[in-house]
Amino acid sequence: MKVLSIVGARPQFVKLAPIAKALAAAGHDHVIVHTGQHYDTKMSDVFFEDLQIPAPDVHLGVGSGSHGVQTGSMLTQLDAVLDEHDPDWVLVYGDTNSTIAGALSAVKLHYPLAHLEAGLRSFNRRMPEEHNRVLTDHAADLCLAPTDVAAEHLRAEGLGERAIVTGDVMTDVCLATAEKVRDTPPPLPEGVESGTYVLSTIHRAENTDDPQRLGAIVSGLAALPYPVVLTAHPRLVAKAKEHGIDLTQGSLNTVEPLDYPAMVAAVQHARAVVTDSGGLQKEAFLLRTPCTTVRTETEWTETVDLGWNVLALDLDQLTSLVDRPAPEPTDATPYGDGKAADATVAALAERVRPRD
Ligand code: UD1
């Protein structure tokens, strides 16, 4: 079987790592296409190195741009790449512009398309990620759902026949990395002690692009009575600068994006996490660090149902949310047992279409 993976943004490299390993272990051919959506060393290269992902076979080098420009420049190049490699499966990941571009190119050229992390829904149609994931699920021949809740969404949209629950591949990586870094302290800013800080990331368009919203989030974080280690995505830095918002005020200790093992260690040693990232909400749950999510909804509802994640609907309440009593301990495994990549590869191999 020949699988062609299309990735481009930081969380997709994390998802690619266990898939690349599982495909190699099972002796399948794997072509990796990097769209270049993320290009800074700390947003891309370090993930390939730390997670031992083979170097991309093709790099489209698209860089940043508006949704249309970025997605369009991927599309103009992808047709030729798919035809050159002629894969049994095109595999797209998550919900970014690289996902929708890969899906459109594959479906138009009649290559079988599989969507990893299918069926997640925020039901917030203003999010670019929601358009990307809904459209990709409906284009896909195989929807690889990480959870039962995701599979239920697919059934509700008439996609049940194409859906299969594999577990969550980010859980595979998170659990394996946590084991490796168990005795490694995270890299912390001067004066910040392990166990005392709040780890934070903010990057989503709906939180960064409106100056008032971003200003309120940054003020809320700066007012927390604990040191806040804010690992700053380039989008946050750019937007804060544009809106004249100071990322060094109050409790804030703003640092560059962390590599994956350092991020896992930083979550493990934090007293709490405050984020708008999907992956980090889940990692906080898996590592049992209480999380507060700066959004009006989450796709990872299990983290909320189990009490390890709360939505910060009112930013004035941020301190009391971060200070809430510890959640009930749990040994629930809604995201699988760390073997989702093997299940994904098996699902693909079982469904390879005979060639004409
Ligand atoms: C994208 C995804 C989002 C995902 C996030 C993970 C879409 C629509 N959004 O958002 O779902 O959660 O990746 O990080 O695909 N930039 C750099 N260097 C880089 C990459 C980006 O400086 O390596 C800056 C540029 O100013 C760019 C901005 O960040 O314009 C936004 O980057 P972009 O890839 O458009 O979206 P993200 O916000 O990263």
Side-chain angles (χ1 to χ4, degrees), residues 96-156:
T96 74
N97 290 343
S98 300
T99 316
I100 187 71
L104 277 175
S105 189
V107 80
K108 299 274 184 197
L109 295 177
H110 308 150
Y111 287 104
L113 172 68
H115 182 205
L116 183 140
E117 217 177 69
L120 293 185
R121 296 290 181 268
S122 66
F123 302 102
N124 176 352
R125 286 177 55 84
R126 291 194 59 82
M127 287 177 70
E129 293 82 3
E130 187 76 354
H131 321 145
N132 290 340
R133 58 170 86 99
V134 170
L135 295 171
T136 300
D137 282 338
H138 283 258
D141 300 282
L142 179 60
C143 291
L144 301 155
T147 62
D148 294 333
V149 171
E152 190 50 49
H153 294 148
L154 293 165
R155 278 193 286 277

Side-chain angles (χ1 to χ4, degrees), residues 8-11 36-41 43-44 63-67 70 95-99 128-129 132 203-205 208 233-236 238 276-278:
R10 181 169 60 173
Q37 177 170 354
H38 286 173
Y39 43 86
D40 288 351
T41 304
M43 298 292 288
S44 175
S64 302
S66 68
H67 292 292
Q70 193 178 52
D95 54 21
T96 74
N97 290 343
S98 300
T99 316
E129 293 82 3
N132 290 340
H203 77 281
R204 289 201 184 261
T208 53
H233 184 291
R235 180 185 199 112
L236 171 64
D276 63 3
S277 151

Side-chain angles (χ1 to χ4, degrees), residues 231-253:
T231 77
H233 184 291
R235 180 185 199 112
L236 171 64
V237 176
K239 291 291 176 183
K241 192 166 171 219
E242 189 183 318
H243 306 324
I245 294 168
D246 178 10
L247 292 180
T248 63
Q249 56 184 293
S251 301
L252 293 179
N253 295 262

